[in-house]
Amino acid sequence: MIWNPRAEAQSPTDRAALQLTRLQETIAWAVGRIPFYWERLGAARVDRLDDLARLPFTLKSDLREHYPFGLFAVPREEIVRIHASSGTKGKPTVVGYTASDMDTWREVMARTIVAAGGRRGDLLQNAFGYGLFTGGLGFHQAAELIGMTVVPASSGNTARQCLLLRDFKPAALCATPSFALHIAEILAEQGSKPEQLGLRYGMFGAEPWTDGVRRALEAGLGCPAYDIYGLSEIIGPGVSGECEAREGLHIADDHFLPEIIDPRSGEPLGAGQQGELVLTTLTKRAMPLIRYRTGDVTTLTTTPCRCGRTSARMARLVGRADDMLIIKGVNVYPSEVEGALLGVADLVPQYLLVVDRTAALARVEIQVEPAAAFLERCASVAPDHPAVGKLRSEVAARLKAALGLSVEVTLVSPRTIPRSEGKAVRVVERT
Ligand code: DLL
């Protein structure tokens, strides 16, 4: 089922015409109302979509420099909602929405929920955090629009989440993939069988996750897992999401125009080439953004999808350009480490990458935890136990093959690696 067939299955030619009109309107709106864009873009003219590539980028630092409300295009009184991203590096990034932006957000999020299987009347357990983070409310308001029953569980309190899953029997669960893994782990400990839960679909996002985590979630929760992407600066969740084909995430490109650029040179890259995703909002009124560098690394495709939606699709994210670690001259994304680890049956799907740069040559340690089956066989994580040695060598060999990097593997006791209730921290750098 398609939530809005007229928009989602629109012919590519009609959509391109719509995108151009909306782009011109957005530029005029931003230049006329936001001093930052007036100075940046002045008399810039866009006669064709390709002309966009000549305009300057907007960076996250531009948002920080205009903290908190300096990039709003409307008086504060016309803003009906404010959200902010977590701000691990200083002040949070603040975003605002007009009433019409809220309609847009509900619309694009409704599309992604329906693409994942959401239907009127379904019960949704929403385990994304409510608050300044866009996850909780982003799902909540769209699920209500569809006519679903929302359980606003919010993040955290894993035992309560498990109780609600067992007693309410929701059709769907949404959460960060790392928190959902933790929920699945506790359910298994409590002896709940995935098929008894009766979940029909799960919607996960807000952090990078691999197909290995997808398989672990599907096994642990007993339902297909769909990837949903978004970022507060652009709108929140709902920028893109997977359909039942799960061959890329459909971008709501009548609202957000995607480009892929080379993160070093800033030059545009073609379809199928991996690079940094740049997004331009086409309908946002409170805080339009032109050529916003997301920092997220992916590829774009416009090949037809069997679901009938005609939008551009993006591949599952490799990670963020700034999450890429350079270790002994080798470029490593945490997601590649995860991909290599998750094929090992004797490990639980949790890891911590510790990069110690205090010595001249960086030392990399990967901490992994044994699965219950391994502990039943050998009841030890001591490094000198032969089975532990064998497991450590297997993991080291896999990482070497996947990353070309020698990594020290430590098997830690069960539950040593901190479990996430929101966005997981998988990398610790000591400098
Ligand atoms: O994480 C919005 C969101 C909420 C998306 C719920 C999906 C579900 P921010 O907190 O602003 O917004 O963080 C945005 O998170 O630039 C990506 O680096 C990362 N991210 C979001 N979705 C995915 C995903 C929300 N599906 C940043 N896969 C983005 C990988 C993701 N990374």
Side-chain angles (χ1 to χ4, degrees):
M1 192 182 133
I2 296 182
W3 171 252
N4 181 347
R6 268 187 50 200
E8 293 176 79
Q10 187 177 32
S11 86
T13 340
D14 289 352
R15 181 165 313 106
L18 179 69
Q19 286 171 330
L20 180 60
T21 313
R22 289 182 166 178
L23 178 61
Q24 290 165 334
E25 283 167 8
T26 298
I27 292 175
W29 180 264
V31 167
R33 290 168 170 257
I34 312 171
F36 167 78
Y37 277 122
W38 166 249
E39 285 160 24
R40 278 285 176 99
L41 302 179
R45 266 184 67 115
V46 171
D47 296 319
R48 298 152 14 110
L49 283 175
D50 292 349
D51 292 341
L52 180 62
R54 295 203 316 264
L55 301 186
F57 296 117
T58 305
L59 308 177
K60 195 168 184 102
S61 56
D62 293 323
L63 270 65
R64 289 215 190 91
E65 278 160 27
H66 294 85
Y67 176 87
F69 303 150
L71 289 185
F72 287 179
V74 298
R76 212 273 303 131
E77 291 73 14
E78 285 179 37
I79 301 280
V80 300
R81 175 84 67 77
I82 283 174
H83 280 282
S85 73
S86 44
T88 43
K89 295 172 191 152
K91 292 207 165 142
T93 309
V94 177
V95 297
Y97 305 74
T98 62
S100 82
D101 293 337
M102 293 302 297
D103 290 339
T104 306
W105 191 11
R106 270 188 288 270
E107 157 74 20
V108 294
M109 253 321 282
R111 292 182 192 178
T112 62
I113 295 177
V114 168
R119 300 291 178 265
R120 159 177 287 277
D122 283 354
L123 200 129
L124 169 67
Q125 183 163 328
N126 184 357
F128 276 114
Y130 281 65
L132 286 174
F133 174 54
T134 50
L137 284 162
F139 274 81
H140 184 111
Q141 63 216 12
E144 285 189 348
L145 175 69
I146 296 169
M148 298 167 86
T149 311
V150 192
V151 181
S154 197
S155 56
N157 203 340
T158 318
R160 168 75 59 87
Q161 303 279 356
C162 295
L163 179 103
L164 296 178
L165 278 171
R166 273 196 310 271
D167 293 350
F168 291 7
K169 298 249 172 325
L173 171 71
C174 58
T176 60
S178 56
F179 184 41
L181 272 180
H182 185 36
I183 294 176
E185 182 176 46
I186 301 296
L187 282 168
E189 268 180 26
Q190 295 174 341
S192 297
K193 296 269 170 300
E195 56 281 6
Q196 290 167 343
L197 297 174
L199 279 168
R200 264 186 22 237
Y201 53 102
M203 295 172 284
F204 307 107
E207 63 183 1
W209 52 308
T210 54
D211 269 331
V213 167
R214 167 147 41 205
R215 283 190 295 274
L217 281 173
E218 293 187 337
L221 296 170
C223 66
Y226 291 87
D227 193 3
I228 292 188
Y229 167 81
L231 62 167
S232 340
E233 297 91 308
I234 296 299
I235 203 145
V239 172
S240 65
E242 285 179 320
C243 65
E244 67 270 23
R246 298 198 290 179
E247 284 167 5
L249 289 79
H250 287 278
I251 302 176
D253 56 2
D254 49 341
H255 293 282
F256 317 111
L257 191 63
E259 299 172 81
I260 294 285
I261 59 155
D262 178 327
R264 282 170 299 272
S265 68
E267 288 304 314
L269 296 176
Q273 284 185 285
Q274 182 172 300
E276 180 176 345
L277 178 68
V278 170
L279 291 167
T280 298
T281 64
L282 296 176
T283 48
K284 279 257 298 279
R285 286 298 170 252
M287 209 179 106
L289 289 178
I290 294 159
R291 301 199 85 205
Y292 183 68
R293 287 186 65 154
T294 63
D296 293 323
V297 179
T298 183
T299 52
L300 289 182
T301 172
T302 47
T303 55
C305 181
R306 64 179 149 91
C307 73
R309 292 175 183 82
T310 50
S311 73
R313 279 169 292 150
M314 54 187 263
R316 281 159 78 74
L317 289 195
V318 179
R320 294 186 54 78
D322 51 14
D323 278 351
M324 190 184 77
L325 299 160
I326 304 179
I327 305 167
K328 298 179 197 162
V330 181
N331 296 351
V332 181
Y333 283 104
S335 61
E336 295 175 309
V337 175
E338 184 175 295
L341 283 178
L342 287 178
V344 186
D346 276 338
L347 298 180
V348 299
Q350 301 284 348
Y351 69 95
L352 192 67
L353 196 63
V354 184
V355 186
D356 187 348
R357 297 188 192 276
T358 51
L361 209 58
R363 226 185 96 243
V364 190
E365 182 203 350
I366 176 111
Q367 299 183 359
V368 288
E369 273 181 28
F374 177 87
L375 286 172
E376 274 163 28
R377 284 203 318 273
C378 111
S380 167
V381 293
D384 52 358
H385 190 291
V388 174
K390 196 161 156 272
L391 181 56
R392 288 173 61 212
S393 320
E394 183 194 340
V395 172
R398 272 178 175 262
L399 291 171
K400 177 86 187 167
L403 314 172
L405 197 72
S406 300
V407 177
E408 198 178 306
V409 180
T410 310
L411 192 66
V412 297
S413 305
R415 287 302 171 82
T416 314
I417 297 169
R419 301 302 195 251
S420 140
E421 295 185 339
K423 301 193 189 216
V425 178
R426 300 286 190 204
V427 180
V428 178
E429 280 199 273
R430 296 194 184 121
T431 46

